[in-house]
Structure formats: C-alpha cells, structure tokens
Amino acid sequence: MNNVLIVDYNINNTRSIFNSVKKLGFNPFVSKSPKDLSKASKIILPGVGSFDVAMKILIENGWREELLSYTHKYSIPILGICLGMQLLSNKSSEGAGSRGLGLINGNVSRIIPKNSEKIPHVGWNSVSQIRPSPLFNNIPDNCDFYFVHSYKFDVAIETNAIGATPFSGSFTSVINHSNAYGVQFHPEKSAKFGLKLLENFLRIN
C-alpha cells in the first residue's frame, strides 16, 4: 500500500503537496477526517500560518488524539512540513502559546535576528546534514531548499536534529525521532532535491 494521507485542516496548502506526491508515483489523498488514517501508509502534515490556530483546528476536528494513537500504534511514518514540522513539538511561544503534538521533544520559538536578518526568513538557503538519515539519500550536503517562516524548532534532544541551516546564526531545519520527521522548508517548492527528499520519505518502510 502506498496511499499518502495529506492532512487538511483548512489553513494549509494541500494542492502543491498533492501534485508533488502524485508526480513521484504514489497515491495521495487529502482528508479532513481522522477516520481516513486507516487507509494511509504515510502521513504528511503540511502547514502555513499560526501554530495556535492550527492546533485549535486539529483538536476540534479530532486529529490530535487520532494522529498520536495511530502513529504510535502502527509506526506509520509522518512528515511535518514548515508549520507542520513545528506542530510536532511539545509547545510553541507563538501567539498566546499552545501545546503541540509532542511527537518530537522540543519547543518552537521566534527567530531572533543576529546579523540584521529580515524576519520572516524567506527564500533559498542551505541545509547541512548533521547526521545520516534516509531523508538525505542521494542528496548532496549543503543543498539549497526554499523557506518561508518566522519561528524555529528548538530540539530538546540533540540527536533529534539531523539538518541545520545557517540563518541568524543557525537553526535546526530537519528533525527526526522514531517514525516522525520534520522539515522547516517546503520540499514541494524546492526543485529536484526537494522532490528527492519527499520521495525518500515516501519510500521509508
């Protein structure tokens, strides 16, 4: 089964993810209902916008508990993209502050400029591969990917950080713990190496 569930919680752009997954030869489907988790062999949690608003919608629609239960019980790989990566955390300081899914230990905080950088961080930037990961198969170190964000994931456990990006000093841009993966950039907007990383995730057993 290579069905890829793309979670739709009303504040994310699912179309470009859907098209990219389909182009790679997998079977994507977009769903607003956690009941569809039983059909999935992979889960993608995309996202744009505010952390607290996103979590409120996920909780109200029943996604939070079902995502936690399903990914733990069946070890289904889940990929968080941009805001979706941040939602994997324990909590965020954005807005009034909110608990996350808690799939990867760490908290989300606003990027503080260190060298007069402009926030939000928008555009192409490199990712250095801190640790080996199946996400990086056949992807050269320090490739550029496309970013749009103002917040960063501060990992609580160092080994959960597998990629970093040199902006405002440096921030963790790729994370992994068990079957949960996250990328701060948009692989679907990051040309051939972005698509390759997405394909690598979709081929994880």
Side-chain angles (χ1 to χ4, degrees):
M1 182 172 69
N2 60 358
N3 296 327
V4 182
L5 188 157
I6 301 168
V7 180
D8 183 358
Y9 49 104
N10 296 324
I11 65 169
N12 48 359
N13 177 15
T14 59
R15 178 52 54 184
S16 57
I17 301 281
F18 179 95
N19 289 339
S20 294
V21 172
K22 192 172 183 64
K23 181 178 180 180
L24 290 167
F26 294 82
N27 301 320
F29 68 103
V30 177
S31 176
K32 293 178 180 289
S33 173
K35 293 180 180 179
D36 287 330
L37 284 166
S38 62
K39 305 173 186 176
S41 58
K42 300 289 188 303
I43 302 164
I44 295 179
L45 185 64
V48 294
S50 169
F51 186 105
D52 48 354
V53 172
M55 280 306 306
K56 183 174 184 291
I57 294 171
L58 287 173
I59 291 168
E60 288 177 349
N61 292 336
W63 279 106
R64 185 180 189 276
E65 294 305 321
E66 290 300 319
L67 276 171
L68 292 177
S69 174
Y70 197 77
T71 54
H72 281 308
K73 184 176 182 179
Y74 299 106
S75 297
I76 300 298
I78 180 171
L79 174 67
I81 294 174
C82 196
L83 174 61
M85 166 174 152
Q86 296 173 12
L87 295 173
L88 302 178
S89 70
N90 296 325
K91 63 180 181 179
S92 173
S93 65
E94 186 173 4
S98 179
R99 288 177 58 209
L101 295 171
L103 286 171
I104 299 181
N105 283 327
N107 299 325
V108 173
S109 64
R110 186 170 177 82
I111 298 173
I112 305 300
K114 293 186 177 179
N115 300 295
S116 301
E117 296 95 347
K118 291 183 178 180
I119 308 297
H121 173 214
V122 179
W124 294 84
N125 212 326
S126 63
V127 171
S128 61
Q129 300 174 18
I130 301 172
R131 292 176 180 82
S133 168
L135 289 185
F136 296 139
N137 286 346
N138 297 312
I139 296 177
D141 196 10
N142 294 308
C143 280
D144 284 348
F145 297 88
Y146 188 78
F147 292 82
V148 183
H149 65 117
S150 299
Y151 287 77
K152 60 186 175 65
F153 194 121
D154 302 313
V155 291
I157 300 173
E158 184 180 354
T159 53
N160 290 343
I162 60 174
T165 292
F167 181 84
S168 187
S170 177
F171 67 87
T172 298
S173 52
V174 189
I175 56 177
N176 168 232
H177 174 68
S178 186
N179 54 312
Y181 298 82
V183 294
Q184 186 58 68
F185 50 84
H186 288 269
E188 77 282 7
K189 297 180 180 179
S190 297
K192 67 176 183 178
F193 290 123
L195 283 179
K196 182 59 183 173
L197 184 141
L198 189 57
E199 179 184 12
N200 288 341
F201 167 74
L202 296 173
R203 294 194 182 281
I204 291 173
N205 293 326

